[in-house]
mmCIF file with all atom_site columns, all heavy atoms in Angstrom:
data_model
loop_
_atom_site.group_PDB
_atom_site.id
_atom_site.type_symbol
_atom_site.label_atom_id
_atom_site.label_alt_id
_atom_site.label_comp_id
_atom_site.label_asym_id
_atom_site.label_entity_id
_atom_site.label_seq_id
_atom_site.pdbx_PDB_ins_code
_atom_site.Cartn_x
_atom_site.Cartn_y
_atom_site.Cartn_z
_atom_site.occupancy
_atom_site.B_iso_or_equiv
_atom_site.pdbx_formal_charge
_atom_site.auth_seq_id
_atom_site.auth_comp_id
_atom_site.auth_asym_id
_atom_site.auth_atom_id
_atom_site.pdbx_PDB_model_num
ATOM 1   N N   . ASN A 1 116 ? 6.738  -15.097 -10.204 1.00 0.00 ? 280 ASN A N   1
ATOM 2   C CA  . ASN A 1 116 ? 6.304  -15.988 -11.278 1.00 0.00 ? 280 ASN A CA  1
ATOM 3   C C   . ASN A 1 116 ? 5.875  -17.320 -10.700 1.00 0.00 ? 280 ASN A C   1
ATOM 4   O O   . ASN A 1 116 ? 6.386  -17.733 -9.657  1.00 0.00 ? 280 ASN A O   1
ATOM 5   C CB  . ASN A 1 116 ? 7.427  -16.272 -12.288 1.00 0.00 ? 280 ASN A CB  1
ATOM 6   C CG  . ASN A 1 116 ? 7.623  -15.193 -13.326 1.00 0.00 ? 280 ASN A CG  1
ATOM 7   O OD1 . ASN A 1 116 ? 8.660  -14.530 -13.334 1.00 0.00 ? 280 ASN A OD1 1
ATOM 8   N ND2 . ASN A 1 116 ? 6.667  -14.993 -14.201 1.00 0.00 ? 280 ASN A ND2 1
ATOM 9   N N   . ASP A 1 117 ? 4.977  -17.998 -11.394 1.00 0.00 ? 281 ASP A N   1
ATOM 10  C CA  . ASP A 1 117 ? 4.841  -19.432 -11.183 1.00 0.00 ? 281 ASP A CA  1
ATOM 11  C C   . ASP A 1 117 ? 5.356  -20.080 -12.471 1.00 0.00 ? 281 ASP A C   1
ATOM 12  O O   . ASP A 1 117 ? 4.941  -19.767 -13.566 1.00 0.00 ? 281 ASP A O   1
ATOM 13  C CB  . ASP A 1 117 ? 3.401  -19.849 -10.863 1.00 0.00 ? 281 ASP A CB  1
ATOM 14  C CG  . ASP A 1 117 ? 2.434  -19.557 -12.003 1.00 0.00 ? 281 ASP A CG  1
ATOM 15  O OD1 . ASP A 1 117 ? 2.589  -18.491 -12.643 1.00 0.00 ? 281 ASP A OD1 1
ATOM 16  O OD2 . ASP A 1 117 ? 1.545  -20.383 -12.252 1.00 0.00 ? 281 ASP A OD2 1
ATOM 17  N N   . ILE A 1 118 ? 6.320  -20.951 -12.309 1.00 0.00 ? 282 ILE A N   1
ATOM 18  C CA  . ILE A 1 118 ? 6.970  -21.612 -13.432 1.00 0.00 ? 282 ILE A CA  1
ATOM 19  C C   . ILE A 1 118 ? 6.393  -23.023 -13.562 1.00 0.00 ? 282 ILE A C   1
ATOM 20  O O   . ILE A 1 118 ? 6.336  -23.773 -12.586 1.00 0.00 ? 282 ILE A O   1
ATOM 21  C CB  . ILE A 1 118 ? 8.489  -21.715 -13.221 1.00 0.00 ? 282 ILE A CB  1
ATOM 22  C CG1 . ILE A 1 118 ? 9.095  -20.339 -12.928 1.00 0.00 ? 282 ILE A CG1 1
ATOM 23  C CG2 . ILE A 1 118 ? 9.171  -22.379 -14.409 1.00 0.00 ? 282 ILE A CG2 1
ATOM 24  C CD1 . ILE A 1 118 ? 9.056  -19.370 -14.069 1.00 0.00 ? 282 ILE A CD1 1
ATOM 25  N N   . VAL A 1 119 ? 5.958  -23.364 -14.743 1.00 0.00 ? 283 VAL A N   1
ATOM 26  C CA  . VAL A 1 119 ? 5.465  -24.711 -15.001 1.00 0.00 ? 283 VAL A CA  1
ATOM 27  C C   . VAL A 1 119 ? 6.585  -25.526 -15.627 1.00 0.00 ? 283 VAL A C   1
ATOM 28  O O   . VAL A 1 119 ? 7.041  -25.220 -16.734 1.00 0.00 ? 283 VAL A O   1
ATOM 29  C CB  . VAL A 1 119 ? 4.244  -24.683 -15.929 1.00 0.00 ? 283 VAL A CB  1
ATOM 30  C CG1 . VAL A 1 119 ? 3.797  -26.105 -16.258 1.00 0.00 ? 283 VAL A CG1 1
ATOM 31  C CG2 . VAL A 1 119 ? 3.099  -23.914 -15.285 1.00 0.00 ? 283 VAL A CG2 1
ATOM 32  N N   . TRP A 1 120 ? 7.047  -26.527 -14.887 1.00 0.00 ? 284 TRP A N   1
ATOM 33  C CA  . TRP A 1 120 ? 8.049  -27.450 -15.425 1.00 0.00 ? 284 TRP A CA  1
ATOM 34  C C   . TRP A 1 120 ? 7.297  -28.566 -16.159 1.00 0.00 ? 284 TRP A C   1
ATOM 35  O O   . TRP A 1 120 ? 6.732  -29.447 -15.545 1.00 0.00 ? 284 TRP A O   1
ATOM 36  C CB  . TRP A 1 120 ? 8.938  -28.017 -14.324 1.00 0.00 ? 284 TRP A CB  1
ATOM 37  C CG  . TRP A 1 120 ? 9.788  -29.185 -14.772 1.00 0.00 ? 284 TRP A CG  1
ATOM 38  C CD1 . TRP A 1 120 ? 10.280 -29.406 -16.023 1.00 0.00 ? 284 TRP A CD1 1
ATOM 39  C CD2 . TRP A 1 120 ? 10.224 -30.285 -13.966 1.00 0.00 ? 284 TRP A CD2 1
ATOM 40  N NE1 . TRP A 1 120 ? 11.000 -30.581 -16.058 1.00 0.00 ? 284 TRP A NE1 1
ATOM 41  C CE2 . TRP A 1 120 ? 10.976 -31.132 -14.815 1.00 0.00 ? 284 TRP A CE2 1
ATOM 42  C CE3 . TRP A 1 120 ? 10.056 -30.617 -12.623 1.00 0.00 ? 284 TRP A CE3 1
ATOM 43  C CZ2 . TRP A 1 120 ? 11.555 -32.312 -14.345 1.00 0.00 ? 284 TRP A CZ2 1
ATOM 44  C CZ3 . TRP A 1 120 ? 10.629 -31.794 -12.159 1.00 0.00 ? 284 TRP A CZ3 1
ATOM 45  C CH2 . TRP A 1 120 ? 11.376 -32.630 -13.020 1.00 0.00 ? 284 TRP A CH2 1
ATOM 46  N N   . ARG A 1 121 ? 7.292  -28.470 -17.481 1.00 0.00 ? 285 ARG A N   1
ATOM 47  C CA  . ARG A 1 121 ? 6.643  -29.483 -18.311 1.00 0.00 ? 285 ARG A CA  1
ATOM 48  C C   . ARG A 1 121 ? 7.628  -30.616 -18.551 1.00 0.00 ? 285 ARG A C   1
ATOM 49  O O   . ARG A 1 121 ? 8.691  -30.421 -19.136 1.00 0.00 ? 285 ARG A O   1
ATOM 50  C CB  . ARG A 1 121 ? 6.188  -28.895 -19.653 1.00 0.00 ? 285 ARG A CB  1
ATOM 51  C CG  . ARG A 1 121 ? 5.094  -27.859 -19.538 1.00 0.00 ? 285 ARG A CG  1
ATOM 52  C CD  . ARG A 1 121 ? 4.831  -27.222 -20.899 1.00 0.00 ? 285 ARG A CD  1
ATOM 53  N NE  . ARG A 1 121 ? 4.581  -28.240 -21.926 1.00 0.00 ? 285 ARG A NE  1
ATOM 54  C CZ  . ARG A 1 121 ? 4.972  -28.131 -23.191 1.00 0.00 ? 285 ARG A CZ  1
ATOM 55  N NH1 . ARG A 1 121 ? 5.669  -27.069 -23.599 1.00 0.00 ? 285 ARG A NH1 1
ATOM 56  N NH2 . ARG A 1 121 ? 4.689  -29.071 -24.071 1.00 0.00 ? 285 ARG A NH2 1
ATOM 57  N N   . LYS A 1 122 ? 7.266  -31.794 -18.105 1.00 0.00 ? 286 LYS A N   1
ATOM 58  C CA  . LYS A 1 122 ? 8.161  -32.950 -18.223 1.00 0.00 ? 286 LYS A CA  1
ATOM 59  C C   . LYS A 1 122 ? 8.013  -33.565 -19.610 1.00 0.00 ? 286 LYS A C   1
ATOM 60  O O   . LYS A 1 122 ? 6.918  -33.944 -20.015 1.00 0.00 ? 286 LYS A O   1
ATOM 61  C CB  . LYS A 1 122 ? 7.838  -33.978 -17.146 1.00 0.00 ? 286 LYS A CB  1
ATOM 62  C CG  . LYS A 1 122 ? 7.948  -33.410 -15.726 1.00 0.00 ? 286 LYS A CG  1
ATOM 63  C CD  . LYS A 1 122 ? 7.492  -34.432 -14.687 1.00 0.00 ? 286 LYS A CD  1
ATOM 64  C CE  . LYS A 1 122 ? 7.579  -33.841 -13.289 1.00 0.00 ? 286 LYS A CE  1
ATOM 65  N NZ  . LYS A 1 122 ? 7.129  -34.783 -12.252 1.00 0.00 ? 286 LYS A NZ  1
ATOM 66  N N   . SER A 1 123 ? 9.116  -33.643 -20.320 1.00 0.00 ? 287 SER A N   1
ATOM 67  C CA  . SER A 1 123 ? 9.061  -34.195 -21.672 1.00 0.00 ? 287 SER A CA  1
ATOM 68  C C   . SER A 1 123 ? 8.870  -35.700 -21.660 1.00 0.00 ? 287 SER A C   1
ATOM 69  O O   . SER A 1 123 ? 8.490  -36.298 -22.677 1.00 0.00 ? 287 SER A O   1
ATOM 70  C CB  . SER A 1 123 ? 10.333 -33.833 -22.439 1.00 0.00 ? 287 SER A CB  1
ATOM 71  O OG  . SER A 1 123 ? 11.484 -34.324 -21.773 1.00 0.00 ? 287 SER A OG  1
ATOM 72  N N   . ASN A 1 124 ? 9.135  -36.341 -20.525 1.00 0.00 ? 288 ASN A N   1
ATOM 73  C CA  . ASN A 1 124 ? 8.997  -37.800 -20.419 1.00 0.00 ? 288 ASN A CA  1
ATOM 74  C C   . ASN A 1 124 ? 8.325  -38.180 -19.097 1.00 0.00 ? 288 ASN A C   1
ATOM 75  O O   . ASN A 1 124 ? 8.913  -38.876 -18.269 1.00 0.00 ? 288 ASN A O   1
ATOM 76  C CB  . ASN A 1 124 ? 10.364 -38.465 -20.535 1.00 0.00 ? 288 ASN A CB  1
ATOM 77  C CG  . ASN A 1 124 ? 11.397 -37.850 -19.583 1.00 0.00 ? 288 ASN A CG  1
ATOM 78  O OD1 . ASN A 1 124 ? 11.208 -36.763 -19.049 1.00 0.00 ? 288 ASN A OD1 1
ATOM 79  N ND2 . ASN A 1 124 ? 12.491 -38.555 -19.355 1.00 0.00 ? 288 ASN A ND2 1
ATOM 80  N N   . PRO A 1 125 ? 7.069  -37.727 -18.851 1.00 0.00 ? 289 PRO A N   1
ATOM 81  C CA  . PRO A 1 125 ? 6.429  -37.988 -17.561 1.00 0.00 ? 289 PRO A CA  1
ATOM 82  C C   . PRO A 1 125 ? 6.011  -39.459 -17.422 1.00 0.00 ? 289 PRO A C   1
ATOM 83  O O   . PRO A 1 125 ? 5.840  -40.184 -18.418 1.00 0.00 ? 289 PRO A O   1
ATOM 84  C CB  . PRO A 1 125 ? 5.201  -37.086 -17.599 1.00 0.00 ? 289 PRO A CB  1
ATOM 85  C CG  . PRO A 1 125 ? 4.858  -37.011 -19.050 1.00 0.00 ? 289 PRO A CG  1
ATOM 86  C CD  . PRO A 1 125 ? 6.185  -36.978 -19.769 1.00 0.00 ? 289 PRO A CD  1
ATOM 87  N N   . MET A 1 126 ? 5.822  -39.892 -16.179 1.00 0.00 ? 290 MET A N   1
ATOM 88  C CA  . MET A 1 126 ? 5.312  -41.222 -15.900 1.00 0.00 ? 290 MET A CA  1
ATOM 89  C C   . MET A 1 126 ? 3.832  -41.288 -16.286 1.00 0.00 ? 290 MET A C   1
ATOM 90  O O   . MET A 1 126 ? 3.054  -40.417 -15.910 1.00 0.00 ? 290 MET A O   1
ATOM 91  C CB  . MET A 1 126 ? 5.474  -41.567 -14.420 1.00 0.00 ? 290 MET A CB  1
ATOM 92  C CG  . MET A 1 126 ? 4.996  -42.972 -14.074 1.00 0.00 ? 290 MET A CG  1
ATOM 93  S SD  . MET A 1 126 ? 5.068  -43.282 -12.291 1.00 0.00 ? 290 MET A SD  1
ATOM 94  C CE  . MET A 1 126 ? 6.826  -43.133 -11.993 1.00 0.00 ? 290 MET A CE  1
ATOM 95  N N   . PRO A 1 127 ? 3.409  -42.304 -17.039 1.00 0.00 ? 291 PRO A N   1
ATOM 96  C CA  . PRO A 1 127 ? 1.988  -42.410 -17.421 1.00 0.00 ? 291 PRO A CA  1
ATOM 97  C C   . PRO A 1 127 ? 1.104  -42.614 -16.206 1.00 0.00 ? 291 PRO A C   1
ATOM 98  O O   . PRO A 1 127 ? 1.560  -43.014 -15.134 1.00 0.00 ? 291 PRO A O   1
ATOM 99  C CB  . PRO A 1 127 ? 1.962  -43.637 -18.341 1.00 0.00 ? 291 PRO A CB  1
ATOM 100 C CG  . PRO A 1 127 ? 3.380  -43.888 -18.728 1.00 0.00 ? 291 PRO A CG  1
ATOM 101 C CD  . PRO A 1 127 ? 4.228  -43.388 -17.600 1.00 0.00 ? 291 PRO A CD  1
ATOM 102 N N   . ASN A 1 128 ? -0.178 -42.350 -16.379 1.00 0.00 ? 292 ASN A N   1
ATOM 103 C CA  . ASN A 1 128 ? -1.155 -42.690 -15.357 1.00 0.00 ? 292 ASN A CA  1
ATOM 104 C C   . ASN A 1 128 ? -1.609 -44.127 -15.621 1.00 0.00 ? 292 ASN A C   1
ATOM 105 O O   . ASN A 1 128 ? -2.441 -44.377 -16.490 1.00 0.00 ? 292 ASN A O   1
ATOM 106 C CB  . ASN A 1 128 ? -2.352 -41.723 -15.406 1.00 0.00 ? 292 ASN A CB  1
ATOM 107 C CG  . ASN A 1 128 ? -3.350 -42.008 -14.294 1.00 0.00 ? 292 ASN A CG  1
ATOM 108 O OD1 . ASN A 1 128 ? -4.233 -42.837 -14.457 1.00 0.00 ? 292 ASN A OD1 1
ATOM 109 N ND2 . ASN A 1 128 ? -3.200 -41.323 -13.180 1.00 0.00 ? 292 ASN A ND2 1
ATOM 110 N N   . PHE A 1 129 ? -1.034 -45.065 -14.874 1.00 0.00 ? 293 PHE A N   1
ATOM 111 C CA  . PHE A 1 129 ? -1.228 -46.481 -15.189 1.00 0.00 ? 293 PHE A CA  1
ATOM 112 C C   . PHE A 1 129 ? -2.663 -46.943 -14.952 1.00 0.00 ? 293 PHE A C   1
ATOM 113 O O   . PHE A 1 129 ? -3.137 -47.868 -15.603 1.00 0.00 ? 293 PHE A O   1
ATOM 114 C CB  . PHE A 1 129 ? -0.255 -47.330 -14.361 1.00 0.00 ? 293 PHE A CB  1
ATOM 115 C CG  . PHE A 1 129 ? 1.191  -47.091 -14.721 1.00 0.00 ? 293 PHE A CG  1
ATOM 116 C CD1 . PHE A 1 129 ? 2.054  -46.502 -13.805 1.00 0.00 ? 293 PHE A CD1 1
ATOM 117 C CD2 . PHE A 1 129 ? 1.674  -47.454 -15.962 1.00 0.00 ? 293 PHE A CD2 1
ATOM 118 C CE1 . PHE A 1 129 ? 3.383  -46.277 -14.143 1.00 0.00 ? 293 PHE A CE1 1
ATOM 119 C CE2 . PHE A 1 129 ? 3.013  -47.246 -16.300 1.00 0.00 ? 293 PHE A CE2 1
ATOM 120 C CZ  . PHE A 1 129 ? 3.862  -46.649 -15.393 1.00 0.00 ? 293 PHE A CZ  1
#
Side-chain angles (χ1 to χ4, degrees):
N280 279 114
D281 63 321
I282 306 293
V283 177
W284 168 30
R285 294 173 53 216
K286 301 175 182 179
S287 59
N288 51 344
M290 182 185 297
N292 183 274
F293 295 114

